[in-house]
Amino acid sequence: IYSFERFWLLPSILETYNRPVLVADLDQIPLRDPSALLSEEFDVALLKFPKSVINILSVISATLSIFRPSSQGHRLAKELSEYFTSAFDNEAKLNWHVDQAGLAVLDYKNTDGNILYLDPKLVVTDPSKHDPIEAAEKGAWFWSVTNSIAGNEKRLETYNKKRP
């Protein structure tokens, strides 16, 4: 449930604040100010890994998304929230990557919202291969410190020591 609760709240947050909302996993460390990601025109921005078609639940990642307070952005956020209400009522849907399944369904069913696909290079997904400071210099915006990836704790300690 924790994986999609943020999307349940999203329509209310968009309505209340009328500002773009960056929705990210808790284990993402910003490497630079993300406000520049909001400069392009779109209703929703999704992090897409096209080569992940072998695992269809990984094509659209819940790691990072952006919803704008446009009419289509509101509509898509509401549809996503409704998907998760439906999933909550169907135990068979409550499995690993249910948040990504919801985003994939949203993307697939979209007919008139302007969806921007974020470049996967925005997120360093394997910190054992990339130093976060070097990654930021090469264009990364977020560093994924997923605890399930071996070695991340040590990398995080190194990052904290190097940080200005």
Side-chain angles (χ1 to χ4, degrees):
I1 295 170
Y2 72 88
S3 69
F4 63 78
E5 192 166 16
R6 56 193 161 163
F7 296 109
W8 257 344
L9 299 171
L10 182 59
S12 175
I13 293 170
L14 280 171
E15 193 171 311
T16 300
Y17 297 101
N18 199 35
R19 298 273 188 263
V21 177
L22 188 146
V23 184
D25 286 343
L26 185 61
D27 55 8
Q28 301 307 303
I29 295 177
L31 299 175
R32 61 178 75 203
D33 179 358
S35 62
L37 293 174
L38 307 175
S39 63
E40 294 190 47
E41 290 298 318
F42 58 88
D43 298 309
V44 174
L46 299 173
L47 185 60
K48 187 173 185 175
F49 291 89
K51 294 183 179 180
S52 291
V53 293
I54 298 298
N55 178 0
I56 197 69
L57 294 180
S58 294
V59 173
I60 304 294
S61 175
T63 298
L64 177 69
S65 59
I66 304 168
F67 287 75
R68 295 182 70 95
S70 63
S71 61
Q72 294 300 325
H74 279 279
R75 180 186 61 76
L76 291 166
K78 188 171 191 261
E79 284 181 17
L80 188 58
S81 180
E82 290 169 356
Y83 176 88
F84 292 123
T85 297
S86 169
F88 190 73
D89 292 339
N90 181 349
E91 190 174 322
K93 286 186 179 180
L94 291 177
N95 55 26
W96 192 252
H97 287 312
V98 68
D99 52 351
Q100 295 186 168
L103 290 167
V105 168
L106 182 79
D107 182 45
Y108 179 77
K109 290 176 61 178
N110 175 55
T111 56
D112 55 355
N114 181 10
I115 294 182
L116 170 73
Y117 297 106
L118 299 168
D119 188 333
K121 293 177 185 174
L122 290 175
V123 179
V124 175
T125 56
D126 187 351
S128 67
K129 293 181 181 175
H130 303 281
D131 176 88
I133 295 182
E134 278 180 44
E137 290 170 357
K138 292 180 180 178
W141 291 68
F142 293 88
W143 190 47
S144 185
V145 292
T146 308
N147 284 332
S148 61
I149 297 175
N152 275 359
E153 184 176 351
K154 187 174 182 177
R155 288 297 216 161
L156 186 55
E157 289 172 12
T158 302
Y159 171 71
N160 283 329
K161 287 176 186 173
K162 289 184 176 180
R163 212 171 57 191

